[in-house]
Amino acid sequence: MLRQAYRVSEAIASPIYKQVTERIVRQLLESLLYEQIVMARQEKEGEKIVFRIDGKDAYGKMVTYSCTGRRAYTFGRIRLERDSVTRSVNHAVNQDLQPGQVLFELLPGRGEGDGCGNLRAMADELEQTRLKDVLAQYERAKRFLPLKGLSFDELEREIMDGHPYHPCYKSRMGFQYEDNYAYGPEYKQELHPLWVAINKTIAKSAIISGASFEQLLVDELGEEQMAAFRERLVQAGCDPLQYIWLPVHPWQWRNKIVPAFISELHDKQIVLLGSGTDAYMAQQSIRTLSNASHPGKASVKLSLHIRNTSSVRSLTPHSVVSAPAVSEWLSRIVEADSYFKKEARVIILKEFAGVTFQADAEAESRDPREIERYGALGTIWRESVHKYLAADEQAVPFHALYALESDGTPFIDPWIQRVGITAWLERLLEAAMLPVVHLLIMHGIALESHAQNMILVHQNGLPARVALKDFHEGVEYCEAGVSAIVSPPPFREIHPVYAQGKLDDYYEMKECSSLVAMTLDALFMINLGELALLLHDRYSYREEDFWKLAVKVLSAHQKQYQGQCERFKLFDLYVASCPVEQLANSRLQSEATEFCHMVENPLHLAMEERVREERMALGEKKKREELHSYASGQSK
């Protein structure tokens, strides 16, 4: 314990502390400005903008925060320069900034009354983000391990920058620093999930067609371990046939399962079996663990009641039992579509089984504990990308594409130096962007395709294809646009919650525009948009050229489906403006609601520019033809 305490003290005392603090404050101001939570006076200085935001300190004195940056072409994102943020009171200027103080001073009205709790909660998350990231970046600085050459699983743990936009990108609320060291992916600690048996009367489960839970357990545990677990049940006086097994995160067992399920543990409706022999390691999402002993085996996604980037990482029962059906649906579409099957060679990492605790409806209505227990005990098994890779293929997490080495060099630098930015980027857009767009337009299905849900498969750095994952809560469709090639799963038969819900609550949306909005937000704004900003900042590659290239690739794909013009109109990615989620504002509000704001769509701007250029080219061609015709006439 003392050794770990010294480790924490060293990290906080190091220069990393100021670097992390500066990033959090800068990212916080970017989000507050972009989401128009605060208003700034703006002054142009050449290509740059100086933003000045007024607030009040704890004594009611006027405070002004100043920062320098720009408004990007990419969805109008605000980009602030490093070390440009200053705070001034009575003409005294300093850069010693505290994230929580910035929040309270710029939003003084929200620090009182009903909104006070949310402001304090967000300030808490900012401080926890600072602590967790200081510890992580200090470890990285000590290791000084280059990202280049690392395997997929190593990159999952070594890339530790977190969400590039959300200011609370590493809050992990619920983790003390001891937990962070034990379970954070950056620390590369092996862990062994605890296995529990849960009586089938209080469980729901689902598995993909043609598979069985018996075989799943053989694959994951082995016959010997299964025999030991069965014996444990028999010794407890339980019939093994009346139970289904699932792994539980060790933190969740201590902090949630034991206190919340004490009655079920006493009555042996839930029985602790022990731990398996395989070691696991946390992926970037923390609650998903990959098998470190056998990388080709399944990953497990486990309920984990911590709050990270403002969301509690529980697993809702209905999504757990829907996961296999959704994965099977998408897999069958990929098999039936020649573009997916032969050209794009898309990989669907199937969530092939799920088990969850589920109290009956009557218990849920009368027992207030169920609110606390909802989503607390559940597991989803997902295929490993390793089983799909050819001998000449490698995989990287998609967020690696905008990661930086310790010296600030982009991870992708060797790849783009080899073939050039435009050639490499065009291959990336064809390999990774087009499959998501094709699924949207030709099949009426949208994926929440942000970076954690995509894996790039490459051949020595050259993009080849994409693996898609994490579907249980990240898929939307609309009856008006979904293709008839494979029918959607019968969700109402899978779980009763779907029969009670309405359109827009779960998978089925009321309007096709909702699917377009999710695609523009997740794939284009958060995911590809971050790459556009990196290429601009590190290589001076114009954002306009990035999005014009995206339009070129999309247009070339559309030409192959000229008989589907109506579908391209129905799922119009070139709308002038689109809603994007306000991640900071959503955290500050009392309601558990997603807040959005409308922003300019760079695909629309790029398409307009493309049309202008084509018209100009046609005009020039016509002039040349007229001149040629005139010259020919004169010569006669």
Side-chain angles (χ1 to χ4, degrees):
M1 182 177 175
L2 184 59
R3 185 177 177 184
Q4 214 168 61
Y6 279 131
R7 190 178 177 187
V8 172
S9 298
E10 286 172 9
I12 294 171
S14 75
I16 298 291
Y17 174 85
K18 284 192 174 181
Q19 295 169 22
V20 169
T21 300
E22 190 277 335
R23 177 195 166 178
I24 294 171
V25 169
R26 175 165 37 89
Q27 216 158 292
L28 173 62
L29 289 176
E30 285 177 346
S31 63
L32 294 178
L33 287 165
Y34 183 53
E35 298 175 19
Q36 299 180 35
I37 299 169
V38 299
M39 304 306 293
R41 290 170 282 125
Q42 300 181 28
E43 297 174 19
K44 289 280 286 183
E45 287 190 358
E47 295 296 311
K48 300 177 182 179
I49 302 172
V50 176
F51 299 91
R52 290 191 173 86
I53 317 159
D54 294 328
K56 290 182 179 179
D57 70 7
Y59 303 100
K61 294 179 182 176
M62 181 68 74
V63 177
T64 300
Y65 284 87
S66 301
C67 44
T68 304
R70 66 186 182 92
R71 185 174 289 276
Y73 183 92
T74 299
F75 293 93
R77 287 272 297 274
I78 300 292
R79 298 288 279 181
L80 299 181
E81 293 183 356
R82 290 184 182 220
D83 300 314
S84 72
V85 183
T86 61
R87 173 183 180 272
S88 61
V89 182
N90 294 334
H91 306 292
V93 180
N94 72 77
Q95 288 186 298
D96 183 19
L97 307 174
Q98 304 301 319
Q101 181 184 26
V102 173
L103 199 63
F104 278 104
E105 290 186 341
L106 292 184
L107 301 172
R110 299 202 192 192
E112 305 166 357
D114 294 339
C116 179
N118 294 314
L119 197 68
R120 291 186 185 281
M122 186 170 179
D124 234 9
E125 289 186 36
L126 291 168
E127 291 302 334
Q128 286 298 312
T129 296
R130 174 158 62 172
L131 172 62
K132 275 47 177 277
D133 202 29
V134 165
L135 300 183
Q137 300 299 339
Y138 183 66
E139 294 295 319
R140 183 184 185 189
K142 285 203 303 183
R143 286 200 296 261
F144 201 73
L145 179 65
L147 301 176
K148 180 183 175 183
L150 296 183
S151 69
F152 171 79
D153 296 302
E154 289 168 329
L155 287 169
E156 271 284 352
R157 294 180 278 276
E158 194 62 33
I159 297 172
M160 57 186 72
D161 292 329
H163 202 294
Y165 172 78
H166 200 303
C168 308
Y169 57 88
K170 204 174 286 184
S171 54
R172 301 176 187 176
M173 304 299 287
F175 273 7
Q176 303 303 317
Y177 69 71
E178 300 95 333
D179 304 313
N180 203 47
Y181 281 132
Y183 307 124
E186 309 92 341
Y187 307 102
K188 307 179 182 180
Q189 297 298 303
E190 291 187 348
L191 64 101
H192 292 78
L194 299 173
W195 282 78
V196 302
I198 179 169
N199 195 287
K200 291 178 181 178
T201 60
I202 56 168
K204 280 190 175 292
S205 62
I207 194 163
I208 209 158
S209 300
S212 71
F213 275 102
E214 182 72 16
Q215 188 57 51
L216 183 155
L217 294 174
V218 171
D219 294 341
E220 294 301 305
L221 291 169
E223 297 279 8
E224 187 177 339
Q225 188 69 64
M226 287 176 65
F229 283 174
R230 283 196 197 97
E231 182 60 27
R232 171 83 178 92
L233 280 169
V234 171
Q235 288 176 358
C238 304
D239 178 2
L241 295 177
Q242 300 305 311
Y243 288 80
I244 192 164
W245 306 353
L246 70 158
V248 177
H249 196 287
W251 184 94
Q252 187 79 347
W253 169 262
R254 290 197 310 271
N255 293 273
K256 199 72 180 177
I257 304 304
V258 171
F261 293 88
I262 189 168
S263 297
E264 287 79 7
L265 288 164
H266 174 77
D267 295 339
K268 297 179 185 176
Q269 288 185 294
I270 297 175
V271 179
L272 176 64
L273 300 174
S275 60
T277 55
D278 283 359
Y280 288 77
M281 285 190 177
Q283 295 183 0
Q284 280 290 309
S285 65
I286 306 174
R287 65 176 170 176
T288 300
L289 310 179
S290 51
N291 194 311
S293 301
H294 302 282
K297 282 189 178 183
S299 300
V300 287
K301 190 172 203 173
L302 309 176
S303 295
L304 192 64
H305 267 62
I306 64 168
R307 181 183 289 276
N308 200 35
T309 54
S310 299
S311 297
V312 176
R313 302 298 163 171
S314 57
L315 289 175
T316 56
H318 57 272
S319 73
V320 171
V321 294
S322 303
V326 173
S327 289
E328 196 163 5
W329 178 36
L330 296 175
S331 297
R332 289 175 63 198
I333 288 171
V334 166
E335 288 295 317
D337 186 311
S338 60
Y339 163 74
F340 284 138
K341 182 71 175 167
K342 296 177 181 177
E343 188 177 340
R345 298 180 300 118
V346 169
I347 299 167
I348 297 292
L349 294 180
K350 293 186 283 294
E351 297 167 346
F352 60 89
V355 178
T356 181
F357 167 79
Q358 177 72 66
D360 60 50
E362 185 183 350
E364 283 188 352
S365 65
R366 71 170 188 265
D367 193 341
R369 294 181 309 158
E370 296 311 324
I371 298 171
E372 290 298 314
R373 292 157 25 133
Y374 187 74
L377 181 55
T379 299
I380 294 172
W381 283 268
R382 183 173 67 216
E383 293 178 312
S384 165
V385 71
H386 295 291
K387 66 182 285 186
Y388 288 100
L389 299 179
D392 62 343
E393 290 180 326
Q394 306 86 42
V396 295
F398 216 83
H399 56 266
L401 303 185
Y402 33 87
L404 302 176
E405 298 280 8
S406 296
D407 64 0
T409 303
F411 170 75
I412 59 173
D413 186 68
W415 299 350
I416 62 178
Q417 295 296 348
R418 192 177 305 133
V419 297
I421 292 178
T422 301
W424 181 86
L425 181 57
E426 188 165 5
R427 284 291 294 267
L428 175 74
L429 294 171
E430 289 170 347
M433 175 188 72
L434 282 185
V436 178
V437 170
H438 186 88
L439 186 65
L440 170 71
I441 293 174
M442 303 309 297
H443 299 284
I445 300 170
L447 302 180
E448 192 177 9
S449 44
H450 54 64
Q452 278 194 12
N453 293 348
M454 295 177 69
I455 298 170
L456 177 68
V457 178
H458 65 96
Q459 294 169 313
N460 198 27
L462 200 61
R465 54 188 180 138
V466 70
L468 303 171
K469 62 187 179 82
D470 217 2
F471 310 119
H472 68 105
E473 288 183 318
V475 173
E476 292 179 356
Y477 75 96
C478 179
E479 188 64 37
V482 72
S483 72
I485 190 170
V486 181
S487 298
F491 289 111
R492 293 182 173 214
E493 298 172 18
I494 292 171
H495 195 284
V497 75
Y498 299 115
Q500 300 157 13
K502 57 185 186 298
L503 294 180
D504 295 335
D505 282 350
Y506 301 108
Y507 299 107
E508 188 176 356
M509 300 292 110
K510 190 184 300 181
E511 304 287 345
C512 291
S513 58
S514 298
L515 281 61
V516 173
M518 183 162 84
T519 304
L520 288 171
D521 192 354
L523 175 65
F524 289 98
M525 201 279 270
I526 291 294
N527 201 345
L528 292 175
E530 207 58 43
L531 182 59
L533 296 171
L534 173 103
L535 293 176
H536 173 276
D537 294 344
R538 299 287 166 167
Y539 300 98
S540 300
Y541 190 79
R542 296 172 69 245
E543 292 173 69
E544 292 91 331
D545 293 336
F546 182 102
W547 294 108
K548 281 165 70 175
L549 185 59
V551 167
K552 174 190 169 186
V553 172
L554 288 169
S555 298
H557 188 69
Q558 183 173 348
K559 282 181 182 177
Q560 298 178 41
Y561 300 91
Q562 292 185 358
Q564 300 290 340
C565 291
E566 290 306 311
R567 293 197 68 85
F568 282 91
K569 289 178 184 175
L570 186 62
F571 298 102
D572 182 13
L573 291 170
Y574 300 112
V575 289
S577 60
C578 58
V580 298
E581 188 179 354
Q582 293 179 302
L583 296 177
N585 193 30
S586 296
R587 184 66 193 98
L588 287 167
Q589 300 298 330
S590 301
E591 305 90 353
T593 307
E594 183 181 292
F595 288 82
C596 296
H597 63 137
M598 299 299 292
V599 299
E600 272 194 313
N601 179 6
L603 289 174
H604 170 78
L605 298 174
M607 176 57 90
E608 281 195 326
E609 182 63 26
R610 177 187 170 95
V611 170
R612 277 195 298 269
E613 289 175 354
E614 287 176 350
R615 285 174 179 167
M616 287 177 64
L618 283 171
E620 290 297 321
K621 182 182 178 183
K622 189 175 180 181
K623 283 181 183 178
R624 286 195 299 271
E625 288 172 349
E626 288 173 352
L627 283 171
H628 178 73
S629 177
Y630 176 76
S632 298
Q634 287 294 98
S635 63
K636 291 176 183 177

